[in-house]
Amino acid sequence: MSILYDYSYKIKDDIENNNISEAINILEATMETIGEFCIDGSNGEHGDIQSEFKEIMEILLKKSTSQEKEMFLLWLKEYIEEDDEFIDFKDEFQELYNKNI
């Protein structure tokens, strides 16, 4: 889990420095990679990860250009449909997507 938070801080640093495209790329790669791991989840890890990334997505969508936002939403739509470790935890991502299309 510490890797998740390391990347989370890196993404937030990029946002702070207005490197939105870089932050989006790191977020996408991190989510896809973490989705491949088998996570026990008995301590609420899935929900923690979902909450952390949803918060980051909300910030990115507010700060991104219209082109960055459009590209990110295309990726998010595809990600939501992927059958990965978080398939049962993507409702909040779907709500965020629906709110921003």
Side-chain angles (χ1 to χ4, degrees):
M1 289 293 287
S2 68
I3 289 175
L4 164 70
Y5 294 109
D6 290 345
Y7 281 108
S8 174
Y9 289 120
K10 170 64 175 136
I11 294 166
K12 289 176 182 176
D13 284 346
D14 281 341
I15 293 170
E16 231 175 79
N17 293 318
N18 208 31
N19 296 326
I20 303 303
S21 290
E22 177 72 13
I24 290 171
N25 290 336
I26 294 170
L27 173 69
E28 291 174 358
T30 303
M31 290 180 67
E32 288 176 4
T33 302
I34 289 175
E36 297 299 316
F37 294 121
C38 183
I39 300 171
D40 178 336
S42 61
N43 292 316
E45 294 90 348
H46 291 95
D48 291 346
I49 292 168
Q50 178 190 40
S51 295
E52 181 70 15
F53 283 129
K54 182 182 177 201
E55 176 187 325
I56 290 170
M57 285 182 204
E58 289 172 335
I59 295 167
L60 282 173
L61 287 166
K62 286 178 187 171
K63 294 194 171 216
S64 60
T65 65
S66 59
Q67 184 179 20
E68 291 166 332
K69 182 177 180 178
E70 181 180 334
M71 295 300 294
F72 178 70
L73 289 172
L74 285 172
W75 173 85
L76 184 58
K77 182 177 190 253
E78 290 177 14
Y79 175 74
I80 291 167
E81 295 170 357
E82 285 180 23
D83 186 10
D84 68 1
E85 179 69 19
F86 293 94
I87 192 68
D88 295 330
F89 296 86
K90 293 183 178 179
D91 293 345
E92 289 188 39
F93 298 151
Q94 182 68 54
E95 288 175 20
L96 186 64
Y97 173 81
N98 291 344
K99 187 169 112 177
N100 285 279
I101 56 170

